[in-house]
Amino acid sequence: MKLPPQKNSNSTAFMAKKSCKRLICAGVLGSIGTWGLAIFWPQVLPALALQQPSLIDVLQQQTIRAKQSEGKNYVGSMNRAQQAYFIEYNVFSNSIEKLGIGIKSTTENYNYVMRVVGKAAFHYAIPRDPRLKSYVGGVFIVKNSQGEVPDAIVCEANTPGAKKPAQPTYINGKLNCGANTRKL
């Protein structure tokens, strides 16, 4: 006596139907997911951005630091050029152009100003953007065993703002930054 074939979960036909159902379900869910993402993406993206405010802050701070590096570098360059100018001519230059270093008095980020007072020359980087810090450099004629030589200091404002920082001083043989600034 021959028995009819039984449905076996291991049969090829059964496995093919099961695989086909899985593929159809995956396709339907996948297409719903894609359309759902396309429909709701404009609402999801701002929510993701709001979840990471520190990332935006970090990028803004990096931009500010990059712009401030211009002010620091230019003031330091003017100080060094002023020292060289004094050594060569025994007098301070009264203009940025005469220093011969190619610094313009106005850039996208800063306005640069120079002031000579007696035995001191001051170089200012005043920001055009109030989120940036100001810088001031001072070159002073100091007496040492070699005679009168120029010595320099660069100072950074403690807080951002488009204002001229207090000038540094030379008192009792020491260079010091002015009020509300710190030595770099």
Side-chain angles (χ1 to χ4, degrees):
M1 167 190 248
K2 196 171 182 186
L3 295 172
Q6 295 183 350
K7 288 187 177 179
N8 184 348
S9 62
N10 292 331
S11 74
T12 309
F14 181 80
M15 291 302 285
K17 285 181 183 178
K18 196 173 184 181
S19 294
C20 187
K21 285 180 184 175
R22 285 183 184 159
L23 284 174
I24 291 170
C25 286
V28 169
L29 290 174
S31 64
I32 289 172
T34 302
W35 283 106
L37 187 59
I39 292 168
F40 294 110
W41 187 248
Q43 287 82 22
V44 170
L45 188 59
L48 289 175
L50 291 175
Q51 294 297 320
Q52 294 297 330
S54 62
L55 177 61
I56 294 168
D57 290 343
V58 167
L59 293 175
Q60 286 177 344
Q61 287 302 316
Q62 285 177 343
T63 301
I64 287 170
R65 278 196 299 271
K67 289 179 179 182
Q68 287 178 164
S69 68
E70 174 196 312
K72 288 181 213 177
N73 290 333
Y74 279 24
V75 167
S77 294
M78 287 189 287
N79 275 0
R80 287 184 294 281
Q82 191 70 269
Q83 287 174 299
Y85 192 93
F86 184 85
I87 290 169
E88 186 171 346
Y89 299 106
N90 205 33
V91 66
F92 284 127
S93 168
N94 59 3
S95 79
I96 295 171
E97 293 79 25
K98 284 184 182 177
L99 292 176
I101 52 176
I103 292 177
K104 296 183 180 187
S105 60
T106 299
T107 66
E108 183 179 337
N109 301 313
Y110 283 91
N111 292 317
Y112 297 96
V113 180
M114 175 189 291
R115 191 170 76 110
V116 176
V117 179
K119 293 190 172 195
F122 302 99
H123 310 102
Y124 298 91
I126 303 165
R128 300 180 73 189
D129 179 344
R131 297 175 301 164
L132 303 178
K133 290 184 177 182
S134 299
Y135 297 90
V136 60
V139 179
F140 297 87
I141 303 306
V142 299
K143 289 185 180 184
N144 67 13
S145 61
Q146 299 171 348
E148 289 188 331
V149 295
D151 198 4
I153 188 170
V154 176
C155 307
E156 175 184 66
N158 292 337
T159 58
K163 55 188 172 223
K164 192 174 176 180
Q167 66 189 33
T169 59
Y170 179 70
I171 299 173
N172 296 326
K174 293 198 180 220
L175 298 174
N176 298 299
C177 289
N180 300 313
T181 63
R182 68 179 182 92
K183 184 177 178 179
L184 294 180

